[in-house]
Amino acid sequence: MEQKNTLVKNASFLMMAAMISKVIGLLYKSPLSAIVGNVGMGYISLAQNAYMILLMISSYSIPQAVSKLISEKVAFGDYRNAQKILKGAMLYVIVVGGVVAFICLFGAKWILPSNQPNAVLALQILAPTIFLSGILGVYRGYFQAFRNMMPTSISQILEQIFHAIVSILAAWLFIKNISDGSQLSVAKWGAAGSTVGTGAGVVVALLFMLAIYARNRKDMRDRILSDTTHQEESYKEIFKLIILVVSPIIFSAFIYNVNGYLNGVLFSDILGYRGANAQEISIMYAEYASYFMMIINIPLTLSSAAPTSMIPEVSALYATGEIDQTCERIDQTVQLSMFISAPCAVGLAVLAHPIVSLLFPGTNGTAGYLLMLGSFTILLNGMSNISNGVLQGIGKPNIPMFTAAVALVVDVVAVVALLLFTDLGVYALLVAMIIYAVAVCIFNDRFMKKYLNYKNPWIKGYVQPILASIPMGAVAFGVYHGLYLLISVNLVCLAAAILIAAVVYIIAFIFVTKASEEQLRSFPFGGILVRIGRMLKLYE
């Protein structure tokens, strides 16, 4: 029960931090889009996509990898080698991050689509951020290994706050002082200024993590001194372990996420080949990457908090041979993730257009249709995040890399075919996204059955939350459109619809699952859910 509560507590910390961070990230995009325009938002999306790929190569999965390696050592009380892994991982990211940052700075024009040169400067400004992100990731993974998610959670919030503030301020200053006032110049310099904010956020988060680590150094030093039973491994052995474990996880994350970057390049190049001009392409891509993906990434980040919390626990349980407990922890992770994902998917589908028009008034409407049609991919991506985390946690990091590579081939073939031979335009990217996620889920599920004899909790994990979300979606749709007929104020109607729908979901979830108070407490913020249930006389 203690481990179960630890998972819930850690997931709750990460979910709260993710929710706050993503809401901040979503809110600042609206004034940013007003400053830089739709073309500028397209440049930002292209630069950010390339940045994320470079970040994945250098450090994106470092927190997961460090968390896995150190948690396995801590499970056996091997604090000496846990500390050596921290130092070895730090050296790893300094070397690899430095090389990748150099490539970003001097190779940006070859990384981005050739018909989008105005996005190059925005990517180059992100080069130092790539280097610093690796160091930040090591410290986050270190604390996660000890099942302490609070430092990571607070650092994520601080990072996003400074990211948002500096992005808006720097974009405005760059446009005011450097651009010549033309649309393309405003877009170019506004995009470049906005990426300064990304670096500012990472710097602040890193300073915070350094302060937390300094406060905890004495405690770790005491643990190392008390560890007299384990032989200290050589740095050669440590680096071999890091490379063998970190590299597959990084390559897996790279392959798993490179489809977004490739799809953006293919979209730009193929539509350019078919006659669309660069400005039109940038505007269309902004609807997909800057608006649709920005909104859908909020529930994806929330649902991924449980898999992130799960990895060190699954690694420790599997390392000590507790297979049944490992499967129980996976089941709980699925239920936590889908408890969040299912209502988010249904809610975004029925309220797609009001949400998009409220957050991004400059949209041409395409993002709303993308959100309405693609919201269910939240469920698919949640499933794939969990299965990736499980396979990495049990020491099979090559498998997610293999499944992602196969799915990537399918994705690229689908994108090329749809863009060349249909008029779907940006909707081709949505279709490819769905195909990719389905392929990853199918392959990973087969391997989980093979190595853990694991069976997905389909009824409790997936069917029940979806069933509870259906009446919630109907109520959200009815309340919004009913109120809009009376007062026609989008924000007020949305707020009322979301609040009432949330209450309906809790009631429906309790009835569908027949969840007891104890079971409801096993979910993030379970105490609040129980109090709501009591207020509604659902419990005695």
Side-chain angles (χ1 to χ4, degrees):
M1 180 63 70
E2 184 179 350
Q3 285 183 329
K4 183 176 181 179
N5 289 337
T6 299
L7 176 60
V8 174
K9 182 177 72 173
N10 288 336
S12 298
F13 284 149
L14 290 179
M15 282 183 182
M16 179 65 75
M19 182 168 62
I20 295 171
S21 298
K22 287 298 180 180
V23 168
I24 294 170
L26 190 63
L27 293 178
Y28 95 86
K29 283 292 179 73
S30 183
L32 182 63
S33 65
I35 293 171
V36 305
N38 284 345
V39 176
M41 292 301 290
Y43 294 158
I44 293 170
S45 296
L46 288 168
Q48 288 284 354
N49 277 350
Y51 161 73
M52 288 302 296
I53 296 305
L54 294 171
L55 198 63
M56 283 166 199
I57 296 172
S58 63
S59 62
Y60 186 77
S61 294
I62 280 294
Q64 292 179 340
V66 171
S67 173
K68 170 183 163 49
L69 289 172
I70 294 180
S71 65
E72 289 176 354
K73 296 295 182 184
V74 171
F76 293 101
D78 189 356
Y79 296 106
R80 291 183 178 274
N81 289 311
Q83 190 70 8
K84 289 197 79 169
I85 289 172
L86 172 68
K87 294 177 181 178
M90 191 65 70
L91 182 58
Y92 176 94
V93 298
I94 287 173
V95 174
V96 176
V99 171
V100 175
F102 183 86
I103 292 171
C104 177
L105 183 61
F106 296 101
K109 66 178 180 181
W110 291 287
I111 297 172
L112 293 169
S114 58
N115 61 356
Q116 300 292 341
N118 287 334
V120 170
L121 181 59
L123 179 57
Q124 289 176 320
I125 290 174
L126 288 166
T129 309
I130 292 173
F131 177 76
L132 295 174
S133 292
I135 301 172
L136 174 62
V138 171
Y139 284 115
R140 283 175 171 170
Y142 174 79
F143 284 104
Q144 288 171 19
F146 288 91
R147 301 178 189 180
N148 181 5
M149 303 297 172
M150 185 63 79
T152 294
S153 300
I154 296 175
S155 71
Q156 287 176 343
I157 296 172
L158 290 173
E159 179 181 353
Q160 195 60 55
I161 290 173
F162 280 87
H163 180 176
I165 294 171
V166 177
S167 289
I168 294 173
L169 182 61
W172 178 75
L173 288 172
F174 274 40
I175 291 171
K176 181 180 179 181
N177 295 300
I178 305 175
S179 77
D180 62 14
S182 65
Q183 184 184 34
L184 290 181
S185 180
V186 166
K188 174 185 175 179
W189 289 105
S194 75
T195 57
V196 173
T198 307
V202 169
V203 169
V204 171
L206 178 56
L207 291 174
F208 173 80
M209 294 301 289
L210 286 170
I212 297 296
Y213 178 74
R215 288 186 60 184
N216 287 270
R217 284 187 70 178
K218 184 179 182 300
D219 180 54
M220 189 61 185
R221 191 182 300 116
D222 292 341
R223 292 185 182 187
I224 293 171
L225 291 174
S226 65
D227 177 14
T228 58
T229 59
H230 294 94
Q231 184 177 356
E232 193 168 307
E233 298 174 8
S234 68
Y235 273 109
K236 180 179 179 181
E237 293 173 311
I238 293 293
F239 282 123
K240 182 179 179 181
L241 180 64
I242 290 172
I243 292 170
L244 287 175
V245 175
V246 172
S247 298
I249 292 178
I250 286 177
F251 284 130
S252 175
F254 169 76
I255 296 172
Y256 185 69
N257 292 279
V258 74
N259 65 315
Y261 165 73
L262 287 178
N263 288 351
V265 172
L266 291 170
F267 179 77
S268 182
D269 288 345
I270 293 175
L271 289 193
Y273 168 78
R274 294 188 64 181
N277 66 52
Q279 189 172 332
E280 290 173 347
I281 292 170
S282 183
I283 291 172
M284 285 190 287
Y285 191 67
E287 291 287 321
Y288 173 81
S290 294
Y291 303 155
F292 163 66
M293 287 303 299
M294 185 66 200
I295 294 172
I296 212 167
N297 275 336
I298 293 178
L300 284 178
T301 303
L302 291 176
S303 65
S304 68
T308 300
S309 303
M310 169 196 68
I311 290 176
E313 298 205 17
V314 165
S315 297
L317 289 169
Y318 189 78
T320 54
E322 300 177 71
I323 304 301
D324 289 341
Q325 289 88 338
T326 301
C327 292
E328 287 177 9
R329 198 66 71 248
I330 299 168
D331 282 350
Q332 188 190 9
T333 303
V334 170
Q335 292 168 21
L336 288 174
S337 182
M338 292 302 125
F339 176 74
I340 300 294
S341 298
C344 287
V346 173
L348 289 176
V350 300
L351 298 174
H353 287 288
I355 290 172
V356 172
S357 62
L358 174 67
L359 296 172
F360 304 109
T363 179
N364 59 23
T366 303
Y369 289 109
L370 287 168
L371 187 59
M372 184 172 62
L373 297 171
S375 63
F376 77 96
T377 58
I378 295 168
L379 302 176
L380 297 174
N381 282 284
M383 294 169 66
S384 62
N385 283 337
I386 292 169
S387 58
N388 280 339
V390 169
L391 292 168
Q392 290 167 3
I394 65 173
K396 305 291 181 183
N398 289 326
I399 293 173
M401 182 169 61
F402 166 77
T403 58
V406 175
L408 179 62
V409 173
V410 176
D411 171 271
V412 170
V413 171
V415 167
V416 172
L418 291 171
L419 289 175
L420 279 176
F421 303 115
T422 73
D423 293 322
L424 284 174
V426 75
Y427 293 98
L429 302 183
L430 176 61
V431 174
M433 177 183 176
I434 294 168
I435 293 172
Y436 181 87
V438 169
V440 170
C441 289
I442 292 173
F443 287 130
N444 281 357
D445 185 64
R446 291 177 66 87
F447 283 112
M448 287 170 63
K449 287 179 181 177
K450 178 180 178 180
Y451 290 104
L452 286 171
N453 195 28
Y454 178 74
K455 295 181 180 179
N456 257 308
W458 293 109
I459 301 299
K460 288 186 177 181
Y462 300 98
V463 175
Q464 289 181 347
I466 292 172
L467 289 176
S469 299
I470 293 173
M472 179 215 74
V475 168
F477 183 87
V479 169
Y480 175 82
H481 289 282
L483 277 177
Y484 200 80
L485 291 174
L486 298 174
I487 57 176
S488 301
V489 180
N490 192 17
L491 176 60
V492 174
C493 296
L494 266 178
I498 291 170
L499 288 173
I500 295 172
V503 175
V504 171
Y505 175 68
I506 294 170
I507 297 171
F509 184 83
I510 293 172
F511 276 108
V512 169
T513 62
K514 297 180 172 58
S516 64
E517 284 193 24
E518 183 181 357
Q519 291 171 325
L520 207 59
R521 289 184 190 277
S522 69
F523 291 97
F525 319 113
I528 297 174
L529 300 180
V530 169
R531 285 196 293 272
I532 293 173
R534 287 177 177 174
M535 288 171 57
L536 297 171
K537 308 299 183 183
L538 298 175
Y539 298 112
E540 294 298 328

